[in-house]
């Protein structure tokens, strides 16, 4: 079971830029001197459902906003409004620039296709189907559990293991025989909390030490390292 952003596609970088712009503009408008940094992304936002990422970061700055509604406009001063503002920025970049999957990830998927295991994407993002389609990977996976599925099924987001456990049930795969591949601390924590057979961390910037500390059994810099010769 693969996370998407940062594991299969470099869209984590697009998410990072969108969060950076949104939060930086928000903090500046409120006169907050402490800037938003990449560490804030890894500590409070990465891998979490969008609105929970907003809540987590705001708590770190002692800022209290009403939750609002998922239908809030992007200029609303609510948790959902900020999350929707960030999503608009992400969608604009995706539509303009597209996305190419990591070559090493594609190579691993090629090998796994020949080997025959069941493959799923488990992502907090509601954009996961669009990203998979843009990257030409949609047909590689028999199951996609994204933010929309999680909301419909009332599944807690990462670092809770619920979305991974749901995917395993849908695949008919025992948890202790399933592999979770994640680049986010919250995702690794989810795999560890669920008792999955193997949790692989992909270090795209968070650092191998932090991924191991979160519960990763193995950490690689690229999925090509997992290919058997």
């Amino acid at each position: 079971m693969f996370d998407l952003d940062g594991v299969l596609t470099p869209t984590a970088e697009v998410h990072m830029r969108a969060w950076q712009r949104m939060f930086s503009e928000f903090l500046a408008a409120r006169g907050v001197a402490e800037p938003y940094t990449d560490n804030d992304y890894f500590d409070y936002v990465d891998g979490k459902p969008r609105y929970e990422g907003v809540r987590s970061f705001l708590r770190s700055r002692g800022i209290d906003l009403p939750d609002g509604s998922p239908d809030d406009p992007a200029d609303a001063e609510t948790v959902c409004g900020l999350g929707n503002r960030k999503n608009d920025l992400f969608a604009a970049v995706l539509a303009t620039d597209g996305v190419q999957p990591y070559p090493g990830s594609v190579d691993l998927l090629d090998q796994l296709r020949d080997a025959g295991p069941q493959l799923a994407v488990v992502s907090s993002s509601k954009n996961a189907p669009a990203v998979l389609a843009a990257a030409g990977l949609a047909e590689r996976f028999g199951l996609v559990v994204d933010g929309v599925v999680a909301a419909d099924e009332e599944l807690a987001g990462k670092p809770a293991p619920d979305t991974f456990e749901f995917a395993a049930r849908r695949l008919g795969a025992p948890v202790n025989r399933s592999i979770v591949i994640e680049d986010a601390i919250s995702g690794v924590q989810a795999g560890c909390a669920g008792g999955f057979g193997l949790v692989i961390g992909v270090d795209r910037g968070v650092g191998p030490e932090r991924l191991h500390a979160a519960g990763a059994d193995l950490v690689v810099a690229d999925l090509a390292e997992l290919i058997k010769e």
Side-chain angles (χ1 to χ4, degrees):
M1 292 180 286
F2 295 80
D3 181 41
L4 175 59
D5 301 316
V7 171
L8 298 175
T9 62
T11 37
E13 299 170 11
V14 182
H15 283 291
M16 286 183 71
R17 293 198 300 271
W19 284 113
Q20 174 80 41
R21 178 175 170 184
M22 187 276 289
F23 277 132
S24 295
E25 292 176 352
F26 170 76
L27 293 174
R30 295 178 70 92
V32 177
E34 185 181 0
Y36 176 88
T37 68
D38 287 350
N39 284 338
D40 289 318
Y41 175 77
F42 291 124
D43 289 342
Y44 305 117
V45 175
D46 190 20
K48 296 178 181 177
R50 189 190 317 152
Y51 301 138
E52 183 52 40
V54 174
R55 293 187 194 98
S56 181
F57 173 75
L58 293 180
R59 284 195 296 268
S60 79
R61 294 297 194 271
I63 298 172
D64 185 30
L65 290 182
D67 269 3
S69 162
D71 296 329
D72 282 356
D75 59 355
E77 290 288 296
T78 64
V79 168
C80 291
L82 292 182
N84 293 343
R85 192 180 311 174
K86 175 266 168 182
N87 195 57
D88 286 351
L89 292 170
F90 173 83
V93 173
L94 185 64
T96 301
D97 298 344
V99 63
Q100 294 294 321
Y102 289 111
S105 300
V106 174
D107 291 343
L108 178 62
L109 290 175
D110 286 344
Q111 186 173 85
L112 291 176
R113 178 174 55 193
D114 295 337
Q118 298 186 82
L119 305 180
V121 166
V122 180
S123 171
S124 298
S125 176
K126 294 182 178 180
N127 298 303
V131 172
L132 286 167
L137 297 177
E139 295 183 358
R140 299 280 193 140
F141 298 94
L143 176 66
V144 176
V145 178
D146 65 351
V148 175
V149 173
D152 289 345
E153 298 291 334
E154 299 182 342
L155 303 172
K158 305 168 188 177
D162 302 37
T163 50
F164 284 118
E165 291 172 343
F166 176 82
R169 289 195 300 270
R170 288 288 300 271
L171 293 173
V175 166
N176 63 358
R177 299 279 294 173
S178 300
I179 299 172
V180 168
I181 305 178
E182 269 280 358
D183 71 311
I185 290 173
S186 60
V188 169
Q189 290 172 332
C192 182
F196 286 85
L198 181 66
V199 180
I200 299 174
V202 186
D203 179 21
R204 305 289 192 191
V206 67
E209 298 84 3
R210 297 183 72 190
L211 292 169
H212 278 301
D217 301 300
L218 171 69
V219 175
V220 297
D222 189 271
L223 295 191
E225 297 176 37
L226 301 175
I227 295 174
K228 293 182 179 181
E229 299 296 337

